[in-house]
Each structure stands twice: as C-alpha cells, then as structure tokens.
C-alpha cells in the first residue's frame, strides 16, 4: 500500500510539473519584436510624365529598413488545448507597429528620364542627381509607417511530450489587417524632394518559432494606398507638359519581406 501511494505521489508530481511547464509555454503571449527588412519595393501605379516631374518614382528598392512591434496573443481554449494540449487558436493584437525604410537613390524608370530628355532619349538620372547634390542638400527617398493590427493566430507545441528543451518549442502562424498612416519622401528628376502621406491598409502573413522567451520569425507584408502631396519645393509650377506642382495624389503599392527577432513574456 505504501509503495502504491509513493508511486501515485511521484506520478502526481510529474504530471503537475508537466502541466506547469505547458502553462508557462502557453502564457508567454505578450512581446516585443524587432524586424530587419531584407527587401521592400515601392511601385507607383498609373504614373505619367507629369507625375514623374512631381517626384513620382515608378519603382524603388529598399537600401535598408527595420520595424518595431508590440503585440499580445489571446489564445483559446484557456484550459487544455486540442490534440493533447498541442494546439490553440486565437487573436493576435498589434498595439503598435513602426516601420522605417530608406530606399536606394537609383529609381527604375523603365528607360524613361526627365520630361524634356525623355523625348530626346538622352537622359541619365543618376548623373543628373549627382550634379544637383553638389549644389544643394536633399534627402534620399524614405518611408515611415505607423499602424496597429489585428488578426488570427494558430499556435502549436509539436514536441510537448519531449523530456528535453524541445518541449518548449512553439510555432505561431498568423496574419493581420493593419490600418495606419504612412509618410513618404521622394526625389524628382531635378533632385528636389517631395513629401506625401496616406492612410494605408496593410496585410501581413508570417510564422515565428518561440522557444521560452525568444522568438525568430519570417513575415511578408503587402499594402496599397493613394499618397497626397504635403510639401514640394515647387508648389505651383508649369512646364510644356502641364501643371507639375500642388495638391496631387499618387497610388503606390508596397511589398516587403522581413526577419523578426523578439522576446515574449
């Protein structure tokens, strides 16, 4: 009888420790993440010669970029999950998401150049920019996004029965709808800066691997919005093609991929 009681106590202790370990894994749902952008493209939609003179760039590729995110996952069921407590689903809320991107100063013009030289076929954008930068200071193209987000998340603990560190490995598959604001600085064919902004709805899809307090993840994002002019160095000007300054809107789309590193608490 004493042996049975001892075995039962040992078994209960092991079960309690296992449950506690699983609870610790499931409870680490708040965290901060730093993302390193491997690439982001900025592409203008329906651009023409006039819009190009007003700082509209057909396509830009990122030089570097980073993001910072604070988020919380709310998982269900609150008690034991499905498949022997290996799977839970829920909602992931991004309370704050900030992304900064600096673009390369070599836009793709599809063999096009400035307004006058396009027609003559003798335009080199980079040479022109270098000449202008010798005379005055201008910012390189860059973009800043601030947003919040919400979306579904599926969390899996594939090795919950392991008796080593693998039991703490957790995979989270997620997607978000992220409304926010975006500011954009571009440079026109004359080397002058133009600033614009937009309300940007962004979608993302990603996966991260969580081990105790640490997270490594991979994520793709897509966005499209019409940007409205804020500041131009030539607010009201005309040339042979028409009006090239003032209150205009340009539709841009973004696509990016990033590697995320983070902590969970």
């Amino acid at each position: 009888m004493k042996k049975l009681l001892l075995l039962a106590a040992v078994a209960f202790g092991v079960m309690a420790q296992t449950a506690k370990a699983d609870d610790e894994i499931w409870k680490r749902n708040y965290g901060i993440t730093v993302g390193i952008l491997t690439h982001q493209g900025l592409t203008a939609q329906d651009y023409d010669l006039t819009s190009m003179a007003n700082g509209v760039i057909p396509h830009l590729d990122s030089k570097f970029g980073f993001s910072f995110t604070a988020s919380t996952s709310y998982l269900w069921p609150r008690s034991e999950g499905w498949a022997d407590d290996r799977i839970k689903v829920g909602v992931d809320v991004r309370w704050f998401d900030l992304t900064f991107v600096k673009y390369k100063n070599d836009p793709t013009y599809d063999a096009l150049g400035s307004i006058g030289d396009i027609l003559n076929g003798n335009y080199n954008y980079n040479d022109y920019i270098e000449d202008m930068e010798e005379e005055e200071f201008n910012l390189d193209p860059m973009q800043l996004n601030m947003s919040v987000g919400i979306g579904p998340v599926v969390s899996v603990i594939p090795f919950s029965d392991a008796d080593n560190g693998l039991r703490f490995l957790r995979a989270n598959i997620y997607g978000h709808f992220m409304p926010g604001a975006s500011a954009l600085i571009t440079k026109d064919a004359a080397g002058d800066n133009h600033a614009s902004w937009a309300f940007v709805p962004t979608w993302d899809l990603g996966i991260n691997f969580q081990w105790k307090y640490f997270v490594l993840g991979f994520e793709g994002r897509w966005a499209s919005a019409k940007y409205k002019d804020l500041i131009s160095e030539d607010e009201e000007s005309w040339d042979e093609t028409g009006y090239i300054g003032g209150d205009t809107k340009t539709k841009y789309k973004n696509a990016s991929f990033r590697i995320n590193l983070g902590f969970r608490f």
Side-chain angles (χ1 to χ4, degrees), residues 19 22 35 66 73 93 107 114 141 160 194 203 223 238 255:
D22 290 343
F66 61 86
S73 293
V93 179
S114 66
S160 60
H194 296 261
W203 301 88
W238 295 75

Side-chain angles (χ1 to χ4, degrees), residues 21-158:
D22 290 343
D23 287 344
E24 287 298 317
I25 298 172
W26 288 125
K27 286 180 179 179
R28 292 172 185 154
N29 295 317
Y30 171 77
I32 56 175
T33 301
V34 175
I36 307 299
L37 275 73
T38 61
H39 176 265
Q40 177 161 304
L42 178 72
T43 303
Q45 307 293 290
D46 303 325
Y47 66 91
D48 55 22
L49 302 186
T50 301
S51 63
M52 287 165 61
N54 200 37
V56 177
I57 305 301
H59 182 79
L60 286 170
D61 289 311
S62 60
K63 186 175 182 179
F64 66 86
F66 61 86
S67 62
F68 178 81
T69 301
S71 62
T72 304
S73 293
Y74 299 93
L75 299 179
W76 184 85
R78 290 185 174 274
S79 56
E80 182 176 343
W82 296 296
D84 294 328
D85 203 24
R86 287 184 173 90
I87 302 175
K88 289 190 178 187
V89 300
V91 175
D92 190 76
V93 179
R94 287 194 167 167
W95 305 108
F96 178 77
D97 186 280
L98 175 70
T99 299
F100 173 81
V101 181
K102 186 174 183 180
Y103 292 99
K104 298 176 183 177
N105 196 22
D106 53 350
T108 301
Y109 266 92
D110 299 330
L112 298 180
S114 66
I115 299 301
D117 292 329
I118 287 173
L119 302 177
N120 299 327
N122 56 0
Y123 179 78
N124 188 312
Y125 180 88
N126 288 324
D127 290 344
Y128 194 83
I129 291 300
E130 289 176 3
D131 293 339
M132 293 299 297
E133 288 178 343
E134 292 179 358
E135 301 177 8
E136 58 182 322
F137 172 79
N138 284 290
L139 297 172
D140 287 339
M142 62 185 69
Q143 187 175 11
L144 180 68
N145 284 18
M146 292 183 291
S147 60
V148 296
I150 188 170
V153 60
V154 178
S155 294
V156 181
I157 303 177

